[in-house]
Amino acid sequence: MSDNAKHLLIVEDETALRAAMAAQLTDAGYDVQEAGSGEDALTRLAEFAFDIIITDLRLPGIDGSELVEAAVARYPDIIAIVVTGYGTVKDAVEAIKRGAEDFVSKPFQIDELVHALNSALEKRRLKSENAYLRAQLEERYRFEGIIGKSRPMTQLFQLLETVAPTSSTILISGETGTGKEVVARAIHHNSPRRVQRFVALNCSAIPETLLEAELFGHVRGAFTGAVGNRQGRFEQAHKGTIFLDEVGTMSAGLQMKLLRALQEREFERVGDSHTIKVDVRVIAATNGDLGRMVAEGQFREDLFYRLNVIPVQLPPLRDRKEDIPLLVQHFLDKFLNERNPNGPADVARGAAAPSTVSQEAMRRLMAFGWPGNVRQLENAIERAVALSVGRSQIDVVDLPVEFQPAAPALSTLSADVTLPEEGLDLDAFMSSIERELIQRSLERTSGNKGRAARLLHLKRTTLVEKLKRIDRRP
Ligand SMILES: Nc1ncnc2c1ncn2[C@@H]1O[C@H](COP(=O)(O)OP(=O)(O)OP(=O)(O)O)[C@@H](O)[C@H]1O
Ligand SMILES: [Mg+2]
């Protein structure tokens, strides 16, 4: 008998039947113990955590139903199967209410019992598998909606757990779309500062001349257009967190002022000499290599060290492909919720978007390099959800053009049509162009078929017909 054999308790007062059942179930691979009465069974249950209990319903003393109830109360995961001697389904139903999984009526073939047992075990296995998946989904939220189970991501979660509660300055680097802003927000929300403000400022989005006033505020008349006194972002973030995005784009002059603000936690509003003190946690982000910018003389070394107290490096998506299926599921859930706010009602109307991705589509998603990282993946899934409304699965055709099988049509949309040396299949070629244009029109109209049809000078019904044909395409 293998170590992981299931432990089974048979409760039956007819000795001969009990012995026969025990022998056959032992042959079937179970580790079997026997009890001749409900009382005896209770004693054994108190001493040992059986996986399965099979009990006769009619027993002298404590009956089978009571025994099932007691067993399930003690071991919620135990599988209970009852054997009913009188064909009284009513008793069996009562036992099931009390927690039995199934019942077999006497007389029975041992096969029937084994079958009931196997299906109960299978049901249990599926249940715990679902529980496992759900637990995984929960766990992926280990850091505020930052999804990932790859090694670099789990290491990141660990690091964030450690540093978030502190007030240390953090420098987040990573390519575009890797989640720098989500991480910055997660850090704030996992710090004691969460009750205060998270103030984000994209340093590259504000003209150089206005950035200083944006950061530190200004007083009336400080510059043309400064009509009143105004708080800067540092002041707004007092006791909270300031997120300085794309910090690498700051001019040399501002870098110096920022350095002072970081060192002393004090500054003056533009046009004012009054010094303001703040308590702010600083999180900076860059999608460049700030270290290299220092080496090249484009970024102050002292400021770099002030910012880079705790470096957080976000890996590009192509280096953690095992996160792709999780992210795909996450974005599917997100866009489905947006699409099907009425849940089952939408599904019933056939207006629902699919909740799964075909194997082939997933393979392609995983094989792609994702230069735009998670943001690009998110956009691709949003588009696919829009294109696949009314179908059961997202397929390759719903993915952006980079994912389509190399079709001559792709180049022809922007370049000249060339006739290859070996010729081409005109019908297939034309329909690939048609498919591409239909997809683009749907993309542009967020899946609105009426507007997409108008863009293509088609009747809506014609577009729907064409879509059906595309779907049937092998
Ligand atoms: N690990 C992740 N789990 C779930 N969503 C993510 C993850 N990483 C990024 N996203 C999502 O991807 C999008 C881009 O993320 P974010 O804006 O944080 O990127 P970024 O690194 O700041 O990009 P950029 O440098 O272009 O500003 C957002 O919608 C964000 O919610
Ligand atoms: Mg960003």
Side-chain angles (χ1 to χ4, degrees), residues 112-268:
E112 272 177 69
L113 183 60
V114 169
H115 179 76
L117 211 48
N118 285 341
S119 55
L121 285 168
E122 175 66 8
K123 226 157 102 186
R124 189 57 47 92
R125 192 182 63 76
L126 286 176
K127 215 167 114 188
S128 66
E129 213 162 73
N130 282 341
Y132 170 76
L133 278 179
R134 226 174 297 126
Q136 235 196 357
L137 291 188
E138 299 282 309
E139 202 183 339
R140 71 191 190 179
Y141 283 107
R142 282 207 14 224
F143 234 90
E144 303 264 330
I146 310 175
I147 312 283
K149 61 171 185 178
S150 59
R151 230 193 123 81
M153 289 308 277
T154 48
Q155 283 170 348
L156 173 75
F157 296 150
Q158 262 170 22
L159 175 66
L160 294 185
E161 257 159 41
T162 321
V163 303
T166 71
S167 273
S168 305
T169 302
I170 292 180
L171 177 63
I172 307 174
S173 357
E175 291 177 12
T176 180
T178 46
K180 296 184 293 295
E181 180 147 0
V182 240
V183 166
R185 288 179 190 277
I187 292 172
H188 174 72
H189 284 290
N190 283 275
S191 78
R193 294 172 180 266
R194 73 174 74 84
V195 289
Q196 305 288 338
R197 263 192 275 193
F198 175 87
V199 177
L201 178 65
N202 185 335
C203 302
S204 72
I206 291 172
E208 162 77 52
T209 46
L210 296 181
L211 188 54
E212 182 181 355
E214 200 59 42
L215 281 168
F216 304 120
H218 62 75
V219 292
R220 185 163 172 234
F223 48 87
T224 333
V227 285
N229 294 342
R230 196 162 158 255
Q231 274 196 341
R233 303 294 175 105
F234 263 98
E235 269 178 85
Q236 289 171 357
H238 183 51
K239 294 202 188 290
T241 304
I242 190 167
F243 175 50
L244 301 174
D245 205 356
E246 308 217 22
V247 74
T249 60
M250 253 184 211
S251 71
L254 258 186
Q255 286 181 31
M256 199 160 95
K257 290 184 171 138
L258 179 61
L259 178 67
R260 173 167 167 243
L262 291 183
Q263 268 170 346
E264 319 291 342
R265 300 290 178 205
E266 63 177 44
F267 53 85
E268 288 87 36

Side-chain angles (χ1 to χ4, degrees), residues 364 368-372 376 380 383 396 399-406 410 436 439-440 443:
R364 289 186 196 213
F368 192 62
W370 299 109
Q376 189 183 11
R383 173 189 196 273
V396 177
L399 302 180
V401 59
E402 308 84 285
F403 293 85
Q404 302 308 318
L410 307 181
E436 181 59 28
Q439 275 178 2
R440 291 192 183 192
E443 191 178 3

